[in-house]
Amino acid sequence: MSLPPSDSALTDEQRAIRDLVYEFATEEIRPGAREADATETFPEDVWDGLAELDLTGLTVPEEYGGFDAGRVTYSVVNEGVAYGQLAVATALSVHCLATSCIATFGSEAQRERWLPEMVDGRPVGAFALSEPHAGSNPAEMSTVARWDGDEYVLDGEKMWITNGQRAGVYVVFAKTDPDDPGSVTQFLVPGDTPGVTVGKKEEKLGLRASDTTSLGFDGARIPAENRLTEEGKGLSAAFRILTGGRIGIAAQSVGLAQAAFDEAREYAGEREQFGGPIADIQAIQHKFAEMATRIAASRLLVREAARQANAGEDNRVAASMAKYHASETAMAVTNEAVQIHGGYGYTTEFDVERLYRDAKITEIYEGTTEIQKEIIARGVLE
């Protein structure tokens, strides 16, 4: 494990949290990561361990029992958990998206009802925005919440739902007027609501320990008090939450890249060719120089985007820069880590194979690389 020696952007408390999470990731998450990936089974014991560390309440205010972490601390935790396994970090960040929605937009009654239990890790939260035909442009969603008496009736389908099978509560986005893109509204939907169905787990290239499913609504009745935002305010709420979520994904990309770097460095020091370890070969040394520089630059971009968020500044461009650069770094570093391992890197015997497969999703979810470039371009050309 090669953490920054000083990391001057962090306080003493944040460095202590960073070290604690990296230690948990190394001792509790990584040993079972390969099996969890192979069996496509989420490690619930690890989730319980995160709850014991209060990390399932990371974005919940203290009055509801939460950790109430600022964005810098949030990024530090996401990086460390992803160092252990990206599937676990993704599950945690989506749970935190759900708790953030409740804490930010929910009524006092909704907060008191849901947040203390979610701080304890159960129910698990999920975030249902994307649809089969509405991904990067959620305004095109077709899920509808029709007013009927004192309830809303939900009909439609969501796609790519992380924690889909594990979740006990979903934050769902739906139009109250099917013909009005501006009518998107945010709802809180318990998992046991009649008319809510969870699809089968998707078979994925990577992130295989994370359950990703579809979510169907067929006449699902939701009490009016389960509406999180005013009608028509859901999409702006989603974009606000996702900006913070992108910092988390960027941090996870850094943690994943760091894991691949450390695996490659250990291997290069042990693998001997031409009379010595391959780490003595200049071509290999240059790979490590490039990887280390990219990781350091990505980490700094993440820290700056998080700092801006903590300061209340408009950090949309910084968050997209961090997400774009860090996800590209995760792909580049894991690719080089496989290359350094040679033929062994292509086998499931070595973790770099799994890290390489996992890295690709960081360029896709929480806004694709292309979407991040659009946001950055608009920001710098205004």
Side-chain angles (χ1 to χ4, degrees):
M1 175 169 53
S2 53
L3 295 173
S6 59
D7 211 340
S8 59
L10 301 183
T11 64
D12 289 343
E13 180 183 9
Q14 288 165 343
R15 279 193 287 271
I17 293 170
R18 178 199 65 186
D19 294 346
L20 174 66
V21 176
Y22 260 91
E23 181 180 1
F24 180 83
T26 301
E27 297 181 358
E28 304 295 335
I29 303 179
R30 294 190 74 179
R34 193 181 305 171
E35 181 180 357
D37 177 82
T39 61
E40 300 184 49
T41 303
F42 188 84
E44 296 294 347
D45 57 331
V46 168
W47 186 260
D48 293 338
L50 293 173
E52 290 177 6
L53 292 174
D54 295 329
L55 299 183
T56 47
L58 196 58
T59 59
V60 175
E62 291 181 359
E63 60 259 42
Y64 305 103
F67 195 98
D68 201 15
R71 281 296 158 185
V72 174
T73 301
Y74 178 77
S75 69
V76 166
V77 170
N78 271 274
E79 178 185 327
V81 176
Y83 184 81
Q85 187 170 19
L86 184 64
V88 176
T90 299
L92 179 62
S93 65
V94 169
H95 176 79
C96 288
L97 281 179
T99 58
S100 293
C101 286
I102 298 170
T104 304
F105 307 110
S107 65
E108 184 60 29
Q110 289 168 337
R111 295 172 187 168
E112 291 179 353
R113 163 66 183 87
W114 292 103
L115 292 180
E117 293 182 0
M118 295 177 79
V119 165
D120 292 336
R122 315 284 175 176
V124 176
F127 188 84
L129 177 63
S130 295
E131 296 188 0
H133 303 290
S136 294
N137 185 8
E140 294 180 353
M141 71 174 61
S142 58
T143 299
V144 174
R146 175 174 50 85
W147 182 253
D148 184 27
D150 58 354
E151 296 177 315
Y152 288 92
V153 181
L154 266 65
D155 290 287
E157 183 182 10
K158 295 296 180 178
M159 196 72 178
W160 315 122
I161 309 303
T162 297
N163 296 335
Q165 291 186 342
R166 302 177 60 242
V169 61
Y170 303 91
V171 173
V172 179
F173 296 81
K175 291 178 179 176
T176 54
D177 180 347
D179 299 320
D180 181 8
S183 70
V184 175
T185 305
Q186 190 176 186
F187 298 90
L188 198 57
V189 181
D192 60 359
T193 301
V196 176
T197 57
V198 178
K200 68 177 182 64
K201 288 197 297 185
E202 298 290 342
E203 296 182 9
K204 307 187 297 294
L205 170 70
L207 215 67
R208 295 171 67 85
S210 171
D211 58 316
T212 306
T213 73
S214 60
L215 191 64
F217 305 96
D218 184 8
R221 289 186 169 272
I222 307 300
E225 58 265 27
N226 280 30
R227 193 185 69 200
L228 278 174
T229 60
E230 296 178 19
E231 290 190 5
K233 301 295 185 182
L235 212 52
S236 60
F239 292 150
R240 176 178 169 184
I241 293 296
L242 287 174
T243 297
R246 284 167 183 156
I247 296 174
I249 299 302
Q252 291 173 21
S253 301
V254 173
L256 177 67
Q258 188 70 63
F261 179 93
D262 289 353
E263 290 288 335
R265 187 177 61 173
E266 181 179 356
Y267 181 83
E270 297 174 351
R271 175 67 168 172
E272 293 196 359
Q273 290 284 285
F274 308 109
I278 63 172
D280 290 344
I281 300 172
Q282 187 181 61
I284 301 297
Q285 293 174 346
H286 286 181
K287 289 181 183 296
F288 281 105
E290 292 167 1
M291 289 190 291
T293 300
R294 293 194 68 151
I295 292 171
S298 295
R299 185 177 279 120
L300 288 172
L301 283 169
V302 172
R303 298 280 194 262
E304 174 58 17
R307 184 204 65 77
Q308 290 182 16
N310 278 355
E313 301 172 13
D314 183 351
N315 72 327
R316 286 173 294 178
V317 171
S320 287
M321 284 181 171
K323 205 271 187 183
Y324 162 49
H325 193 276
S327 61
E328 296 277 308
T329 292
M331 277 302 299
V333 171
T334 55
N335 179 63
E336 290 288 37
V338 169
Q339 192 72 16
I340 289 168
H341 279 71
Y344 289 112
Y346 203 65
T347 70
T348 58
E349 181 181 355
F350 287 81
D351 284 341
V352 291
E353 177 269 345
R354 171 177 54 83
L355 297 173
Y356 179 67
R357 287 188 288 106
D358 282 353
K360 184 58 189 176
I361 192 60
T362 65
E363 296 181 318
I364 299 173
Y365 62 6
E366 296 277 354
T368 63
T369 294
E370 291 73 21
I371 290 295
Q372 306 314 316
K373 290 180 179 180
E374 285 289 322
I375 294 171
I376 296 165
R378 285 200 301 265
V380 300
L381 293 175
E382 285 180 351

